[in-house]
Amino acid sequence: MEGSVEWQEVDPPAPFRHRMKLILTQHDAPHKKIEVEAAIQQQGQYCKDCLQHITSQSARFCFYTGLYYCHNCHKDQKAPLPAQIVYSWNICKYSVCNASYDYLQSMFNLPCLELSQLRPDLYQAVGILQIAMRLRIQLNMLYSHTQHCHELHNNQFLIPYRYYLTCIDSYSLCDMVQVIQSQPNLLSTSRDGDDDEESPQLEGAPCPQVTDQKQCELLARISSVRDIAMRHIRKDCKYVDVVRSALLGCITDHRSCLTQCTKVCGICKDSKKTMYVFDVNNCVVCKSCNMAYHKDCLEGASCPSCTTAT
């Protein structure tokens, strides 16, 4: 018939496997049968892992990927989800497919969460994170002055927690689970978990006081990393970095961790009041010229060395 539209049956898209990656989206499982069937239809009616055909009766929903899988690829294993941890302060375990479970297990102790980008408000609401930030600023300052020391950075205890020194804002899923477990007064009713766990309402919440840092495994671990590093600097370091003159070929400097981390105030110049650069409570180091000052001497002013140079 003239003017009519001829409909052609369109082949469904070719099946392809879902590639595992860090997902920070919260997925809700459809509850009504018609919604489940529509979601599986939209998925192409195949398992997103083995690519076998599935139906609403033979499929299981993965709360991590938001997709459906067959029973062989989804054994109903449960794990805490990054999105629930970060955005709902919720550490209850959700049903996930086999691939998601393996991926989350492999990522559990890796620094994959940048809180300043994902949830900067947590630093205002969670006392433990404020303390952790101060400790890690101290560690980062320490690291920047001891990068030459292979003995320190090859310490077997420090290697798994190197990110505590190199970055002040990266946290693992394990870190965040321990933070949530340590401050239950922040928690309220859960969102959608398998158990009646809790998650916080953080907006407008006052920052709770942390009375005992040892009650939080994360703070205890960061403190242990700091204590080991400081003990190495003050007592154990046997490394000497020998700097030779390019022209004379003679030794011009010996730099141990202690000499690298010890500074004399650029204002009072009192050699009897030497400072450790990682003592962030009493020492300020200029990021531009690397000059160090007592906080009391600087009194919040700009770096005198940089000001004079300009």
Side-chain angles (χ1 to χ4, degrees), residues 201-237:
Q201 305 298 324
L202 294 179
E203 294 185 7
C207 176
Q209 297 297 318
V210 182
T211 57
D212 187 1
Q213 295 186 26
K214 293 182 179 179
Q215 291 180 355
C216 177
E217 292 183 51
L218 172 63
L219 291 184
R221 189 163 55 251
I222 297 177
S223 297
S224 296
V225 170
R226 182 193 60 174
D227 293 344
I228 290 173
M230 287 185 173
R231 183 170 64 247
H232 170 85
I233 290 170
R234 289 170 172 163
K235 297 180 180 180
D236 300 339
C237 182

Side-chain angles (χ1 to χ4, degrees), residues 156-258:
Q156 292 301 306
F157 179 80
L158 297 183
I159 288 176
Y161 310 119
R162 190 185 300 274
Y163 66 96
Y164 290 157
L165 290 86
T166 59
C167 180
I168 64 174
D169 191 47
S170 295
Y171 290 86
S172 68
L173 296 175
C174 177
D175 293 334
M176 293 306 299
V177 167
Q178 291 171 353
V179 170
I180 295 173
Q181 289 174 335
S182 299
Q183 294 204 263
N185 55 323
L186 285 179
L187 306 182
S188 60
T189 306
S190 174
R191 179 174 173 266
D192 251 337
D194 291 329
D195 304 314
D196 293 331
E197 296 284 346
E198 301 176 326
S199 64
Q201 305 298 324
L202 294 179
E203 294 185 7
C207 176
Q209 297 297 318
V210 182
T211 57
D212 187 1
Q213 295 186 26
K214 293 182 179 179
Q215 291 180 355
C216 177
E217 292 183 51
L218 172 63
L219 291 184
R221 189 163 55 251
I222 297 177
S223 297
S224 296
V225 170
R226 182 193 60 174
D227 293 344
I228 290 173
M230 287 185 173
R231 183 170 64 247
H232 170 85
I233 290 170
R234 289 170 172 163
K235 297 180 180 180
D236 300 339
C237 182
K238 300 179 179 63
Y239 180 83
V240 176
D241 186 14
V242 179
V243 181
R244 295 182 179 274
S245 169
L247 295 175
L248 303 177
C250 60
I251 298 175
T252 59
D253 192 16
H254 294 269
R255 298 185 296 173
S256 67
C257 284
L258 183 61

Side-chain angles (χ1 to χ4, degrees), residues 70 87 102 111 141 150 157 192 206 268-269 295:
C70 70
Y87 296 116
D102 293 341
M141 183 67 71
H150 303 296
F157 179 80
D192 251 337
C268 70
K269 302 185 186 301
K295 271 191 175 180

Side-chain angles (χ1 to χ4, degrees), residues 29-255:
H31 296 293
K32 297 180 180 180
K33 183 178 179 180
I34 189 172
E35 294 175 344
V36 174
E37 291 176 346
I40 293 176
Q41 181 71 32
Q42 185 178 12
Q43 184 175 304
Q45 293 186 311
Y46 63 88
C47 169
K48 273 292 187 176
D49 196 359
C50 70
L51 308 183
Q52 296 297 314
H53 178 77
I54 55 174
T55 65
S56 58
Q57 287 76 30
S58 63
R60 282 178 176 160
F61 183 78
C62 174
F63 280 88
Y64 181 62
T65 63
L67 300 170
Y68 284 89
Y69 299 81
C70 70
H71 283 207
N72 288 331
C73 297
H74 193 320
K75 300 294 186 183
D76 199 26
Q77 298 178 97
K78 294 178 175 59
L81 305 181
Q84 291 291 337
I85 289 172
V86 173
Y87 296 116
S88 295
W89 207 247
N90 179 8
I91 59 174
C92 68
K93 296 181 178 181
Y94 290 75
S95 177
V96 296
C97 68
N98 302 351
S100 293
Y101 181 83
D102 293 341
Y103 177 80
L104 291 170
Q105 289 294 105
S106 69
M107 293 289 291
F108 194 66
N109 291 299
L110 299 181
C112 57
L113 303 174
E114 298 283 345
L115 290 190
S116 62
Q117 297 181 16
L118 300 173
R119 286 293 303 275
D121 59 307
L122 289 179
Y123 285 115
Q124 296 298 321
V126 185
I128 284 178
L129 291 178
Q130 293 183 8
I131 297 173
M133 173 65 81
R134 290 197 293 269
L135 290 172
R136 293 180 69 171
I137 289 174
Q138 189 176 32
L139 283 172
N140 186 252
M141 183 67 71
L142 181 153
Y143 174 78
S144 66
H145 286 79
T146 61
Q147 294 185 55
H148 63 281
C149 185
H150 303 296
E151 181 183 349
L152 173 61
H153 297 295
N154 288 332
N155 183 295
Q156 292 301 306
F157 179 80
L158 297 183
I159 288 176
Y161 310 119
R162 190 185 300 274
Y163 66 96
Y164 290 157
L165 290 86
T166 59
C167 180
I168 64 174
D169 191 47
S170 295
Y171 290 86
S172 68
L173 296 175
C174 177
D175 293 334
M176 293 306 299
V177 167
Q178 291 171 353
V179 170
I180 295 173
Q181 289 174 335
S182 299
Q183 294 204 263
N185 55 323
L186 285 179
L187 306 182
S188 60
T189 306
S190 174
R191 179 174 173 266
D192 251 337
D194 291 329
D195 304 314
D196 293 331
E197 296 284 346
E198 301 176 326
S199 64
Q201 305 298 324
L202 294 179
E203 294 185 7
C207 176
Q209 297 297 318
V210 182
T211 57
D212 187 1
Q213 295 186 26
K214 293 182 179 179
Q215 291 180 355
C216 177
E217 292 183 51
L218 172 63
L219 291 184
R221 189 163 55 251
I222 297 177
S223 297
S224 296
V225 170
R226 182 193 60 174
D227 293 344
I228 290 173
M230 287 185 173
R231 183 170 64 247
H232 170 85
I233 290 170
R234 289 170 172 163
K235 297 180 180 180
D236 300 339
C237 182
K238 300 179 179 63
Y239 180 83
V240 176
D241 186 14
V242 179
V243 181
R244 295 182 179 274
S245 169
L247 295 175
L248 303 177
C250 60
I251 298 175
T252 59
D253 192 16
H254 294 269
R255 298 185 296 173

